Amino acid sequence: MFFGFPVWAEFSGTVRVIDADTIDVGQTRVRLHAIDAPELDQTCMTEHGLPFACGEWVNEQVAARFDGTQATCRRTDTDRYGRTVAICEVTGVDMGQEIVSRGWAFAYRRYGMDYDLDEKSAYIADRGLHGFRVQSPAQFRQTRAKGRIPPDPNCRIKGNISKNGHIFHVPGQEFYERTGINTAKGERWFCTPAQARAAGWRAARR
């Protein structure tokens, strides 16, 4: 049993899109199985060499299609951030398959070949992201990984300093993955929320 759901358990609820491959289904944070979408702050290039905020764009497309719908999901795993990995359907449509077919994300072959042919079809048709020059989301994450991966796996809370003050982010929150820690600026890692609060940081609202 992991986080309330045994492997292959089904659950359902209203969809709230976090980004193009991560959603909330009711109270459960879900990473959609075997797809990988650009990060929210990721940019692509048009055929004319102009930057395009593709991460925000795919998020808008997925939100317009699925926000507020009712999904039924089948849990397959739990990822390293504690999110439930699942295959989710809305009115009989596999969300991952549709997102990849429309070119809003890529097949994440490292975790399954489920959507391999869907991505190839989208590529041939230049649908969505395939009409741009785009770095794979995995490569993009690697290039910005410094400061985003905890040096101690038991101390994963990110104490960030921004114009809004000293804020800490815990795994699973909306801005956790894209938040980097620069210790030279006084930012730091914490092991518990209580430790962060005692040091003067407040919890992120989302």
Side-chain angles (χ1 to χ4, degrees):
M1 179 80 70
F2 294 90
F3 300 94
F5 293 111
V7 175
W8 308 116
E10 286 196 356
F11 57 98
S12 60
T14 302
V15 172
R16 183 172 76 92
V17 173
I18 305 303
D19 59 36
D21 54 29
T22 306
I23 61 175
D24 283 345
V25 178
Q27 300 299 312
T28 304
R29 179 61 52 88
V30 174
R31 178 65 161 83
L32 292 171
H33 168 73
I35 75 170
D36 201 17
E39 300 298 311
L40 281 171
D41 59 346
Q42 187 170 342
T43 58
C44 305
M45 300 293 287
T46 69
E47 60 180 1
H48 300 297
L50 299 175
F52 171 62
C54 57
E56 293 182 4
W57 179 76
V58 295
N59 182 66
E60 290 169 359
Q61 305 311 304
V62 174
R65 172 65 179 88
F66 291 111
D67 240 1
T69 59
Q70 293 295 307
T72 299
C73 303
R74 178 166 53 89
R75 182 188 177 281
T76 63
D77 203 352
T78 299
D79 72 7
R80 62 177 177 168
Y81 299 109
R83 298 174 299 188
T84 295
V85 180
I87 298 170
C88 296
E89 293 187 356
V90 171
T91 60
V93 174
D94 182 328
M95 289 182 66
Q97 183 176 38
E98 178 162 344
I99 291 168
V100 172
S101 294
R102 290 177 178 255
W104 298 335
F106 302 97
Y108 210 172
R109 296 173 180 85
R110 174 181 174 184
Y111 295 103
M113 298 295 289
D114 307 54
Y115 310 119
D116 175 64
L117 294 179
D118 300 293
E119 182 189 308
K120 289 175 179 175
S121 296
Y123 173 79
I124 291 170
D126 280 340
R127 283 196 293 270
L129 293 167
H130 301 289
F132 304 94
R133 286 181 283 171
V134 54
Q135 185 181 33
S136 78
Q139 290 175 332
F140 177 79
R141 288 191 293 270
Q142 287 178 355
T143 61
R144 67 168 201 182
K146 185 177 181 181
R148 288 174 168 80
I149 299 176
D152 181 345
N154 295 313
C155 300
R156 300 163 57 194
I157 297 173
K158 297 179 177 181
N160 177 241
I161 300 174
S162 70
K163 63 181 180 181
N164 296 316
H166 290 58
I167 301 171
F168 69 86
H169 303 261
V170 301
Q173 286 191 294
E174 184 171 351
F175 298 108
Y176 179 83
E177 289 185 50
R178 66 169 108 167
T179 298
I181 296 304
N182 184 348
T183 55
K185 288 172 49 183
E187 296 176 333
R188 52 184 292 197
W189 296 91
F190 296 103
C191 302
T192 66
Q195 183 187 40
R197 291 190 180 95
W201 267 258
R202 67 171 177 82
R205 294 187 177 89
R206 53 181 182 168

